[in-house]
Amino acid sequence: MSACSRLGRMQLVDTTRYPVESLGSAVGQRLIADCVRSYANDGAVVLPGFLTADAVESIAREGHAQISRAFFCRSEHTVFLDEGRPGDGSNESDPLDPRQRMLRTHVGSIANDFLDPQGALQQLYEWVPLTAFVGAVLGHANFHRGADPLGALSINVYGQGDLHEWHFDESQFSVTIMIQEAEVGGHFEYVSGLRSDGHVDIAGIQQVLDGDESQVQRLPFGAGSLSIFAGRNTLHRVTEVAGTRHRLVPVLTYDTTPGSVNSHAVQELFWGRTA
């Protein structure tokens, strides 16, 4: 076991189940192939029990210690994360058009610069085999951790009444880890096939926003699970949370270009400041 995947004597990743340190081996190649197939077919990879119980506990403690420093975004946006635009061929306002319909997002985020630089979460993020593994699943040999001072690594926090309504991400993919589930709600749900490069199914999106759940899938995202999700072209949401237990989900950012940072607008939206 590499020292980079340990905090002191604590093992962070279950490398027996997920041999991410041995991607060139037969079992490593099978793991990559399974993940590539899942990502291509479903737009999502979920690896339950990716983190050890000790790692989950350590990162949860870190998250709880910093919850008071989370910035809570309270915003309204369309599914495209903008402030609304007219539908094709019309300048009239239509509040039911997905291009104009406003949806709520209430979610907190603990910024990267509030996290322990020596903590379990940071050590996991800096672990080179993890970066190589995520890159291999996404088909990128040249792959890098993010460099945003606020958002390269962060922890999403959902408390009572918080949610992230239906949307498409700005980024092509997202990498997240479930550390603590909510008492009630906080489910990650998604609908595939409504957007691709060059095409958007406005009528299909409107059906989902109108309450049609026939195509809605729920990600089986338990504590310790790693998720790689195709967020730009997959409509998704986090349902409303209830109860006293926070939903804690670290977000790990990567890019094919070294030194990538978020725009000031994104920094301001999710962390209330720029860097």
Side-chain angles (χ1 to χ4, degrees):
M1 193 63 172
S2 167
C4 291
S5 57
R6 293 179 181 269
L7 181 67
R9 298 181 62 186
M10 177 173 49
Q11 183 174 328
L12 300 180
V13 175
D14 184 350
T15 52
T16 299
R17 185 174 182 182
Y18 300 110
V20 294
E21 287 185 306
S22 308
L23 296 182
S25 67
V27 290
Q29 288 296 298
R30 282 198 298 271
L31 174 63
I32 292 173
D34 289 344
C35 292
V36 167
R37 184 164 49 251
S38 178
Y39 191 80
N41 293 340
D42 305 323
V45 175
V46 180
L47 303 179
F50 186 80
L51 294 191
T52 65
D54 285 344
V56 170
E57 182 180 350
S58 180
I59 296 171
R61 283 198 305 269
E62 182 177 356
H64 283 295
Q66 298 296 334
I67 280 180
S68 64
R69 305 179 81 173
F71 175 79
F72 279 82
C73 167
R74 303 282 189 259
S75 71
E76 290 193 344
H77 54 79
T78 72
V79 294
F80 303 106
L81 295 181
D82 59 26
E83 296 179 354
R85 56 185 185 270
D88 295 340
S90 172
N91 291 320
E92 297 181 2
S93 176
D94 179 1
L96 296 182
D97 189 315
R99 291 161 292 204
Q100 302 177 48
R101 192 184 306 200
M102 304 308 292
L103 306 168
R104 289 191 303 142
T105 287
H106 291 178
V107 58
S109 182
I110 303 170
N112 186 32
D113 58 354
F114 290 149
L115 300 175
D116 182 355
Q118 303 301 320
L121 182 56
Q122 186 68 44
Q123 290 204 22
L124 176 71
Y125 184 50
E126 293 180 356
W127 190 40
V128 173
L130 178 60
T131 303
F133 169 67
V134 175
V137 172
L138 297 172
H140 301 301
N142 192 20
F143 207 55
H144 308 272
R145 296 189 303 274
D148 193 303
L150 304 180
L153 178 65
S154 60
I155 302 179
N156 281 349
V157 179
Y158 291 80
Q160 172 72 34
D162 291 337
L163 77 169
H164 199 336
E165 271 286 13
W166 291 112
H167 66 284
F168 297 98
D169 289 342
E170 288 186 338
S171 57
Q172 187 70 42
F173 60 88
S174 62
V175 180
T176 56
I177 300 169
M178 174 60 76
I179 292 300
Q180 181 171 280
E181 298 174 80
E183 278 183 64
V184 179
H187 302 298
F188 189 100
E189 297 182 336
Y190 66 101
V191 180
S192 302
L194 297 178
R195 189 184 192 187
S196 60
D197 295 339
H199 173 71
V200 180
D201 184 353
I202 294 296
I205 295 170
Q206 182 162 335
Q207 287 182 333
V208 176
L209 299 188
D210 287 341
D212 182 355
E213 298 192 357
S214 60
Q215 302 300 314
V216 174
Q217 301 180 71
R218 181 171 291 179
L219 208 66
F221 199 30
S225 297
L226 174 77
S227 168
I228 306 172
F229 184 74
R232 179 180 292 174
N233 287 335
T234 309
L235 188 66
H236 58 288
R237 69 176 177 182
V238 175
T239 64
E240 186 169 348
V241 164
T244 59
R245 187 170 65 235
H246 288 91
R247 181 184 191 266
L248 300 177
V249 178
V251 180
L252 292 65
T253 68
Y254 300 92
D255 205 315
T256 55
T257 303
S260 63
V261 299
N262 290 302
S263 66
H264 281 180
V266 169
Q267 290 178 341
E268 191 73 45
L269 177 64
F270 288 108
W271 298 288
R273 54 196 169 100
T274 61

